[in-house]
Amino acid sequence: ETGVTQTPRHLVMGMTNKKSLKCEQHLGHNAMYWYKQSAKKPLELMFVYSLEERVENNSVPSRFSPECPNSSHLFLHLHTLQPEDSALYLCASSQEWGGVNYGYTFGSGTRLTVV
Amino acid sequence: RKEVEQDPGPFNVPEGATVAFNCTYSNSASQSFFWYRQDCRKEPKLLMSVYSSGNEDGRFTAQLNRASQYISLLIRDSKLSDSATYLCVVNFGNEKLTFGTGTRLTIIP
């Protein structure tokens, strides 16, 4: 496996369900991210983990809960979502060194539909 | 003012033409710069990093102007497969990259 792998690729869930998105990076990067992209809108940063520590939480509702157990894995736990949360959820990883970010590698995303 | 600003387009360009995009950024202390490409319903993919001296990769040329705080992307001899959204991306010296809203390009046969 190479690059950044996200599962599942597609997810349909009801508003009362609990589900988790998984991301795994095989690049030895030290930072991981969750982004949301709604239809015809720009990327919205949700969470940033650097060296397994959450360094940014961009005013995301508590129904989204991230988890970073180690530098290679990132989860996004979902519960009691709303239909407006339907979007493409993208995981990315990067190498950050001395305050310089050397560019992201994105996973292929999870297309989430909340019904 | 947005941190990274792009003309959203759309740009509709005939096949074989040359097209250029500009992007302006707000922070003169910015560290690194990139162009990403995003196809419809797919993830963004790195197209080019942008270096101070400018750099070229085949039909693509990227330029950085720190004094005026803009970066540009030039595509020569455009192909149908170049149709995509092009994202201007800047690192302001922290862990994250800041994305522009993207410029949508359609190459017309």
Side-chain angles (χ1 to χ4, degrees), chain B residues 71-96:
Chain B
I71 66 176
S72 64
L73 177 68
L74 182 79
I75 306 175
R76 288 181 299 278
D77 187 24
S78 52
K79 313 288 185 192
L80 295 176
S81 57
D82 294 333
S83 297
T85 296
Y86 290 83
L87 299 164
C88 173
V89 185
V90 179
N91 174 227
F92 291 115
N94 52 28
E95 300 86 0
K96 65 179 184 180

Side-chain angles (χ1 to χ4, degrees), chain B residues 29-65:
Chain B
S30 302
Q31 298 287 336
S32 50
F33 309 86
F34 310 89
W35 284 101
Y36 275 71
R37 169 195 170 127
Q38 187 172 24
D39 292 288
C40 187
R41 300 176 71 83
K42 296 282 183 72
E43 76 275 20
K45 292 187 178 177
L46 179 65
L47 179 66
M48 296 178 77
S49 300
V50 186
Y51 304 119
S52 295
S53 55
N55 45 303
E56 188 174 313
D57 182 2
R59 297 182 294 109
F60 297 84
T61 301
Q63 295 277 353
L64 167 62
N65 185 320

